[in-house]
Amino acid sequence: MSLWRLLRLAASFPPARNGIRLHHQVSSRIFVDVRSQNNFTRWPSPPVSLSKVGQRGAKRTSKIRTAELPQGLIALQPPPDEPVEAIDTSYPTVVQQAKNNMRRFEKCILLTRLYFEQAEKYGPLLGLKVAHKKTNAGPVPMAGFPIFQRDRFLKILVQDLSSHVAISEEFPNNASDRVKSGGLLFDRRVSRIITPGTLIDEQFMDPFVNNFLLAVYATDTSSRADAQTGGTFSEGDPQKDGPESRPPTVGLAWLDLSTGDFFTQSTSPSSLSSVAARIGPREIILTGNSDDFRDQAIDSFLEEYKHLCAFHQPDLRGSSLSDWEPTLENNDVPLADSTQFTTEEIKAGTSLLEYVKVQLQGLKMRFQPPVQRQETDIMSIDKHSLRALEIKTTLRDGVFKGSLLHAIRKTVTSSGSRLLNNWLISPSTSLATIEHRLNLVSYFGGNQIVMEDIVQQLRRSYDSQRLVQKFSLGRGDADDLLALSKTIQATQTIVTILTRKQEEQPLPDDVAIPEESHASRVEHENACLDSILSRLALDGPEALALRIAEAIDEDGISQKQSLEEDEERGMVAMARAVASAEGSEADMAMLPKKSCAKSSASTKANKSRESEYEDPCVIRRSASSTMDNLHNSLDELKAEKVQLEGELRQKLGASSLTLRWTPGLGHICHLKGKDTNTSISSVTKIKNVGSSRSTRSFHISEWTDLGLRMDRVKLQMKMEEQRVLADLREQAVRNLVKLRRNAAVLDELDIACSFAISAREQGLVRPLLNHGTSHRIIGARHPMVEIGLQEQARSFVSNDCFVGDQERVWLLTGPNMGGKSTFLRQNALISILAQIGSFVPAEYAELGIVDSIFSRIGAADNLYEGQSTFMVEMLETAAILQKATPRSFVIMDEVGRGTTPEDGIAIGYACLHHLHYINKCRALFATHFHALSDMTSHMEHLACYCTDIAEESNGSFSFVHRLRKGVNRDSHALKIARLAGLPQAAIELASNVLAQSRDRHSSAQTPR
């Protein structure tokens, strides 16, 4: 008879009522492959070798009572196709549990101790020495590290190597699990999977940047060719409305687990790379059929982000917004927005939340309601423009200093810095939103004292966005609660400041709204402040802050932190001592370089701790009646201890006698000095535990009994402390929505104050924005170049820009190093600054709202993908000509320079023609092909401007960066070559060749 039939037959009998002897068991395993292309699956394993299951060493059977076993029928399923090999019980229990977890999470690195092939592979990468543990099955490679270094190695594995790490922890076994494990009290199970996109509160997270996890859902349609050519149609095209010609849609959903921010968006495959560049994800999960990712544009996206991508294939049939509700605050999706989410967005969002659920292993979280990003709501900045305009990093070195973000970021909170980063890569196209931000900047610019008071309070606040997210996880200690309380108190003070100043209605300074009467200015400011104050909700948070302040003892937190630091120093000192004695210099270099010397204060604290054997309490005794009663009980016991100590000193005649507790010896009586020779025969029930020349320790029953009673009270106090902290975290979660909204307002105030400070320090002006399609900028300056020149005590030459309805396209010529590229960039940057709500570097700026910014600047190749410099240039040019609209702003520099002059001129002319007659957008076009100025003379909305060089009689020259109308037909390349240090012989030869070339060209043009 087969085993499966025997088990079914056994399941049909009623359970026995007396004790039984268990010889066999059937276990169930969960297999999870988060990075494979297979669905997540749960199935029972086939029957394993029953004679080996449940063994522990020589013990072959376990006696249990049937009441401890799960009762009822055993639900059986057909065995899977692939058998799972039996568990090898030759390994020790700890090693076997690690091997089981490695099987279940085979794509993950198991921490905190590495075994088997993971130890051999990652041990050297982490700088860990790989040892071999002897077992009955042979030596097992293993490597480990102290727990206080976990974050350090997590950073290497997760952030640097983009690996998935499974954290294994101990969990107590219930009666049934103890039977299955052969009597083990604890089981080591994976509590969480940490990936680059699922960081929550790890110490190595960047506080100034969001840690986004992005899900991409691609759909398959028959018209991929349309998307690859840009997806544009001319009016009246009969194929535009055909169902088969609809371009494919990609659904995006991304969130930050550390803050709860949740967004969705639909886009086209051709825009996917640029959208991803704006989001800046740390991890990308792909959902959909593999055929859906064979689009040329998506292939390019996968090639660019392949180091961040993983496939995740949940069952998305029947996906709806109701699937999101359990993970959202208030369990609700805003009804006003629920009908606007596309099918692709819903599936991407469902896949994203399923992935997070798996990685967190059932840990519950609360995210903010999803915000749908519409491409029409923000200024589109493609990935090439983000890089060329140096928005977040410099073009050459890729560093933060020298970028636009570095030039304008004067925020004082980490959450405000994250919001500024998001604004900068996604400027608004809503005139109302922009004007609201500008009004706030104007108010703070005209009321500097108010601004300074607000900044002072913001400095006292903490990152409440990430704090409340920790509380929603059931995490967060007393220090986090205290930080939240201080943030709420800072918010209360800010409300008081704004309310008081709003009632005073002061007259703003010159930086306020231009050309308006005082009454109108006050009206604008009051409306702006009313909007800010109406969004701040303090009724619930105020009570929470008061409760936290009454319950938590800040001095106790400081003492506890000091003790933890001392303990860490001791562990580091021990590790360094071991490494010094047995290891190498490389082992020593791996350890933290913390000073092992302790201050006198910490030494005294340790001595006090050794004698009092109690940890500082972070909860005040007034936090609850139970805590107060426990403190009273402990005070009484301490009084008994003092009395007992005095009685023993008098009875033994030993003035140095102290009652202590040590981890190794427990409750002891301690003698030192001459008292060590004192006779203790007069005291009964004494047990000597140790002695030296100067000390002596022994147990006495009275102190042991009293100490145990004190221990029980302290344990009850710890339990009450945890209960109070849990209650405070629960209250914080109840105020989750209000706390998050208040935090969002504080972030906006932080950015507004930052902009006002920049406006005052750098001489910025408020821009005037409208729905037109022209730029009128007087005295425009480049924000980063100007700062760099100021550091060298040099001044920046400003320029005007009047590109728009009359002169839509400006054709710029002039010498190398003449400032053409700077002029192109500064006008694009001014548009970005204006639409994030910042003042701009100019004397006057009136701008039409820009829907997209495109740039073709600089030379770069992509040899890995087989793209030459000219090919990269043409790809960027093609994207501009395909996507630019009449509301776009385009800057193009030296298009066509990567090929022959004839081909380059032809391509340059074609681009100018397309921008002028088809795109009809604002465009600045710089070139060294001077013939283009003649070829485009018939274009009525194109104007020519140039820079120049001023030459002196002694042969020296200087650049004239001021633009003038006209064409400069000399690029002065040899002068720049001489400045660069080319040998004089090479310069002279180049001069001769250039003169001969010009003579031939002149003679060819002379009429016969």
Side-chain angles (χ1 to χ4, degrees):
M1 182 180 296
S2 68
L3 175 61
W4 285 95
R5 292 188 61 188
L6 284 172
L7 289 174
R8 290 182 182 276
L9 182 62
S12 64
F13 290 100
R17 296 184 179 275
N18 54 352
I20 63 172
R21 184 179 297 271
L22 181 69
H23 291 273
H24 315 302
Q25 69 179 26
V26 178
S27 64
S28 175
R29 299 181 57 198
I30 302 175
F31 288 80
V32 180
D33 184 355
V34 297
R35 304 192 69 167
S36 69
Q37 298 186 24
N38 299 322
N39 290 335
F40 284 83
T41 311
R42 176 190 179 104
W43 68 87
S45 63
V48 296
S49 177
L50 298 182
S51 61
K52 294 184 178 181
V53 176
Q55 296 179 3
R56 187 186 183 195
K59 188 175 180 180
R60 301 293 180 178
T61 60
S62 299
K63 289 185 178 180
I64 62 170
R65 301 191 65 84
T66 55
E68 298 178 355
L69 289 174
Q71 304 298 316
L73 297 179
I74 302 176
L76 298 179
Q77 299 181 13
D81 297 333
E82 298 183 2
V84 180
E85 55 184 275
I87 298 175
D88 189 348
T89 55
S90 301
Y91 293 117
T93 303
V94 174
V95 178
Q96 183 61 56
Q97 289 177 339
K99 189 173 184 180
N100 294 342
N101 286 325
M102 289 173 64
R103 286 175 174 173
R104 294 187 180 98
F105 304 95
E106 59 184 2
K107 298 295 183 180
C108 300
I109 303 169
L110 193 66
L111 291 186
T112 58
R113 187 172 293 175
L114 301 169
Y115 289 101
F116 299 103
E117 64 274 7
Q118 290 187 356
E120 295 177 327
K121 179 179 180 180
Y122 295 103
L125 290 176
L126 300 176
L128 301 175
K129 183 173 291 185
V130 180
H132 289 80
K133 184 180 183 67
K134 294 182 180 180
T135 69
N136 294 335
V140 175
M142 60 175 290
F145 50 84
I147 187 64
F148 64 85
Q149 287 191 305
R150 192 183 81 166
D151 276 349
R152 173 191 172 191
F153 291 109
L154 273 179
K155 181 182 184 302
I156 296 174
L157 292 172
V158 177
Q159 281 198 336
D160 300 341
L161 301 179
S162 298
S163 301
H164 291 197
V165 175
I167 301 298
S168 176
E169 297 180 0
E170 285 189 344
F171 294 88
N173 281 330
N174 56 30
S176 176
D177 292 333
R178 285 200 297 270
V179 172
K180 296 178 181 179
S181 63
L184 294 179
L185 298 179
F186 293 93
D187 183 25
R188 288 173 175 82
R189 299 197 301 269
V190 171
S191 60
R192 181 184 165 202
I193 300 174
I194 301 178
T195 67
T198 56
L199 302 178
I200 299 175
D201 58 355
E202 280 66 30
Q203 297 296 322
F204 52 83
M205 291 181 65
D206 189 344
F208 304 112
V209 181
N210 282 103
N211 196 85
F212 282 127
L213 170 67
L214 171 65
V216 179
Y217 179 84
T219 57
D220 186 21
T221 65
S222 59
S223 64
R224 297 195 179 275
D226 293 334
Q228 294 166 10
T229 58
T232 58
F233 301 90
S234 60
E235 294 184 6
D237 190 337
Q239 295 182 353
K240 179 176 180 180
D241 300 323
E244 295 183 355
S245 63
R246 183 177 62 86
T249 303
V250 178
L252 304 176
W254 65 98
L255 58 80
D256 184 345
L257 269 69
S258 66
T259 63
D261 293 323
F262 187 10
F263 302 94
T264 69
Q265 182 178 341
S266 292
T267 188
S268 63
S270 59
S271 301
L272 181 57
S273 291
S274 295
V275 175
R278 291 201 301 269
I279 296 172
R282 298 299 178 91
E283 184 180 2
I284 301 173
I285 55 176
L286 308 173
T287 302
N289 298 323
S290 58
D291 291 340
D292 298 339
F293 292 94
R294 292 180 180 176
D295 185 285
Q296 180 180 345
I298 298 182
D299 285 343
S300 176
F301 162 78
L302 294 178
E303 187 64 32
E304 182 177 0
Y305 291 96
K306 62 183 178 182
H307 61 290
L308 302 178
C309 292
F311 274 93
H312 174 52
Q313 301 294 96
D315 186 2
L316 297 178
R317 291 173 296 181
S319 299
S320 65
L321 289 176
S322 60
D323 299 331
W324 301 2
E325 292 180 1
T327 62
L328 303 179
E329 62 184 30
N330 293 340
N331 294 332
D332 187 25
V333 178
L335 296 178
D337 300 330
S338 60
T339 58
Q340 299 178 9
F341 293 98
T342 65
T343 302
E344 292 79 15
E345 290 174 353
I346 293 175
K347 291 188 176 182
T350 302
S351 175
L352 181 69
L353 297 177
E354 285 290 329
Y355 181 81
V356 171
K357 181 180 178 181
V358 171
Q359 305 304 67
L360 298 184
Q361 294 291 290
L363 194 64
K364 293 183 178 179
M365 298 194 72
R366 286 287 181 266
F367 302 117
Q368 300 184 47
V371 176
Q372 188 186 40
R373 285 276 182 88
Q374 297 283 355
E375 293 186 347
T376 56
D377 294 338
I378 61 175
M379 176 196 292
S380 174
I381 308 176
D382 63 13
K383 62 179 182 179
H384 308 296
S385 300
L386 284 174
R387 183 169 57 250
L389 296 177
E390 301 179 306
I391 302 295
K392 296 194 293 184
T393 58
T394 59
L395 181 62
R396 179 173 181 177
D397 301 322
V399 297
F400 173 66
K401 185 177 181 180
S403 66
L404 177 61
L405 182 58
H406 173 262
I408 68 171
R409 192 176 80 181
K410 295 188 177 354
T411 50
V412 296
T413 66
S414 55
S415 55
S417 299
R418 292 196 301 270
L419 183 61
L420 176 59
N421 181 76
N422 293 333
W423 281 9
L424 198 56
I425 59 178
S426 302
S428 176
T429 56
S430 169
L431 188 58
T433 300
I434 299 171
E435 288 297 328
H436 169 76
R437 296 174 182 175
L438 290 172
N439 287 339
L440 200 57
V441 178
S442 294
Y443 174 79
F444 287 128
N447 297 273
Q448 187 173 0
I449 296 178
V450 178
M451 180 187 68
E452 292 175 351
D453 291 341
I454 295 294
V455 170
Q456 184 179 13
Q457 295 303 318
L458 290 172
R459 291 184 187 277
R460 296 175 180 174
S461 66
Y462 293 81
D463 194 344
S464 53
Q465 290 276 17
R466 287 185 169 173
L467 283 176
V468 297
Q469 188 68 4
K470 289 173 67 174
F471 298 142
S472 71
L473 280 165
R475 299 187 177 192
D477 53 17
D479 202 14
D480 295 324
L481 288 166
L482 195 61
L484 180 62
S485 174
K486 292 180 179 179
T487 302
I488 297 173
Q489 293 171 8
T491 307
Q492 292 174 302
T493 307
I494 289 173
V495 170
T496 302
I497 294 171
L498 293 179
T499 303
R500 183 176 64 248
K501 290 299 179 182
Q502 184 183 24
E503 295 171 354
E504 294 177 4
Q505 297 183 352
L507 179 65
D509 295 340
D510 294 337
V511 291
I513 305 171
E515 302 179 3
E516 291 186 348
S517 64
H518 171 53
S520 179
R521 291 175 180 178
V522 172
E523 181 181 354
H524 275 283
E525 291 175 1
N526 283 342
C528 180
L529 295 181
D530 285 340
S531 174
I532 290 293
L533 293 172
S534 65
R535 294 165 54 196
L536 289 169
L538 291 174
D539 48 347
E542 281 181 339
L544 173 61
L546 181 62
R547 171 62 178 151
I548 292 174
E550 292 175 347
I552 294 181
D553 185 1
E554 192 168 357
D555 293 335
I557 293 178
S558 299
Q559 294 176 16
K560 187 172 183 179
Q561 290 175 345
S562 177
L563 289 174
E564 290 174 350
E565 290 174 359
D566 290 342
E567 183 178 358
E568 184 175 341
R569 287 194 196 97
M571 295 180 69
V572 172
M574 183 185 301
R576 295 184 71 87
V578 173
S580 177
E582 304 177 7
S584 61
E585 294 183 0
D587 297 326
M588 290 287 292
M590 285 184 53
L591 296 173
K593 296 180 180 179
K594 291 191 176 182
S595 174
C596 298
K598 301 180 182 179
S599 64
S600 58
S602 62
T603 302
K604 291 178 181 179
N606 274 354
K607 289 183 178 179
S608 175
R609 184 187 179 194
E610 185 181 45
S611 60
E612 295 294 334
Y613 63 92
E614 62 182 64
D615 292 329
C617 187
V618 299
I619 298 297
R620 301 181 190 274
R621 64 187 304 163
S622 59
S624 69
S625 58
T626 302
M627 182 64 78
D628 188 44
N629 294 333
L630 290 172
H631 271 280
N632 292 334
S633 299
L634 185 60
D635 291 342
E636 294 175 358
L637 292 174
K638 286 181 178 180
E640 289 185 32
K641 176 195 171 185
V642 173
Q643 181 179 357
L644 177 61
E645 197 172 50
E647 292 176 353
L648 289 174
R649 286 176 180 175
Q650 183 177 5
K651 193 171 186 178
L652 297 177
S655 60
S656 67
L657 183 144
T658 55
L659 301 180
R660 296 184 177 184
W661 176 89
T662 63
L665 301 178
H667 302 87
I668 59 172
C669 294
H670 183 76
L671 299 174
K672 64 180 180 179
K674 62 180 180 179
D675 291 337
T676 57
N677 299 321
T678 302
S679 174
I680 58 175
S681 58
S682 59
V683 181
T684 60
K685 299 182 180 179
I686 286 181
K687 180 181 178 182
N688 288 307
V689 293
S691 62
S692 66
R693 290 184 179 181
S694 60
T695 63
R696 185 179 179 183
S697 301
F698 57 90
H699 285 159
I700 184 171
S701 59
E702 290 90 342
W703 170 227
T704 301
D705 294 340
L706 177 60
L708 291 176
R709 286 158 55 198
M710 295 178 71
D711 287 344
R712 283 193 292 269
V713 172
K714 291 174 182 177
L715 179 60
Q716 292 173 350
M717 292 174 65
K718 285 295 179 184
M719 295 173 63
E720 178 64 12
E721 179 181 293
Q722 295 302 317
R723 188 198 66 79
V724 173
L725 290 176
D727 179 64
L728 292 175
R729 285 193 294 265
E730 184 179 350
Q731 292 185 42
V733 173
R734 289 199 194 103
N735 290 275
L736 185 66
V737 176
K738 294 179 180 179
L739 291 172
R740 279 176 169 165
R741 291 176 181 173
N742 292 348
V745 175
L746 294 187
D747 294 343
E748 292 183 23
L749 290 174
D750 191 13
I751 295 177
C753 292
S754 172
F755 288 167
I757 294 172
S758 296
R760 185 176 294 273
E761 292 180 351
Q762 302 173 23
L764 311 183
V765 299
R766 174 171 178 156
L768 303 177
L769 288 102
N770 53 56
H771 291 293
T773 57
S774 63
H775 271 43
R776 290 181 54 82
I777 307 176
I778 299 176
R781 309 187 302 275
H782 192 293
M784 296 98 83
V785 174
E786 183 180 30
I787 292 175
L789 291 175
Q790 288 174 350
E791 293 177 353
Q792 305 171 28
R794 299 166 60 191
S795 60
F796 185 92
V797 178
S798 62
N799 270 300
D800 303 338
C801 180
F802 302 104
V803 62
D805 296 332
Q806 298 300 320
E807 297 178 348
R808 284 199 304 267
V809 181
W810 277 25
L811 179 61
L812 306 179
T813 55
N816 294 286
M817 294 285 294
K820 300 188 299 299
S821 296
T822 301
F823 178 77
L824 266 58
R825 288 184 171 99
Q826 72 189 28
N827 287 286
L829 293 174
I830 286 175
S831 299
I832 293 174
L833 289 175
Q835 291 186 216
I836 66 173
S838 170
F839 285 17
V840 299
E843 298 174 9
Y844 175 84
E846 184 177 354
L847 312 172
I849 296 291
V850 174
D851 65 354
S852 302
I853 280 185
F854 297 98
S855 69
R856 159 78 287 280
I857 294 177
D861 54 30
N862 189 357
L863 298 181
Y864 183 79
E865 295 185 14
Q867 297 173 356
S868 65
T869 303
F870 183 69
M871 183 61 179
V872 171
E873 177 184 329
M874 289 298 98
L875 287 172
E876 296 176 6
T877 303
I880 293 173
L881 299 183
Q882 291 171 0
K883 298 179 180 179
T885 71
R887 306 195 67 85
S888 300
F889 191 87
V890 173
I891 58 175
M892 304 183 76
D893 190 15
E894 300 186 37
V895 173
R897 67 178 175 179
T899 184
T900 64
E902 294 79 7
D903 290 344
I905 291 173
I907 292 174
Y909 176 80
C911 291
L912 287 168
H913 185 277
H914 203 282
L915 293 171
H916 185 273
Y917 291 107
I918 300 179
N919 299 112
K920 297 181 180 180
C921 59
R922 287 160 279 185
L924 303 178
F925 193 100
T927 184
H928 287 289
F929 296 139
H930 308 128
L932 290 176
S933 60
D934 301 323
M935 299 170 66
T936 58
S937 59
H938 64 282
M939 298 182 184
E940 57 180 337
H941 297 296
L942 184 145
C944 295
Y945 290 83
C946 66
T947 58
D948 209 341
I949 277 182
E951 298 188 70
E952 305 295 337
S953 58
N954 58 1
S956 63
F957 67 93
S958 60
F959 294 103
V960 179
H961 296 295
R962 184 81 64 184
L963 279 177
R964 62 177 175 83
K965 202 158 190 176
V967 180
N968 189 335
R969 299 183 182 275
D970 193 347
S971 294
H972 301 280
L974 296 185
K975 292 184 174 64
I976 310 303
R978 181 178 289 108
L979 283 178
L982 261 68
Q984 183 61 32
I987 296 293
E988 292 176 357
L989 178 60
S991 299
N992 294 332
V993 173
L994 179 61
Q996 293 173 9
S997 175
R998 286 178 174 174
D999 289 341
R1000 287 195 301 269
H1001 182 72
S1002 177
S1003 61
Q1005 290 184 342
T1006 302
R1008 297 180 180 177

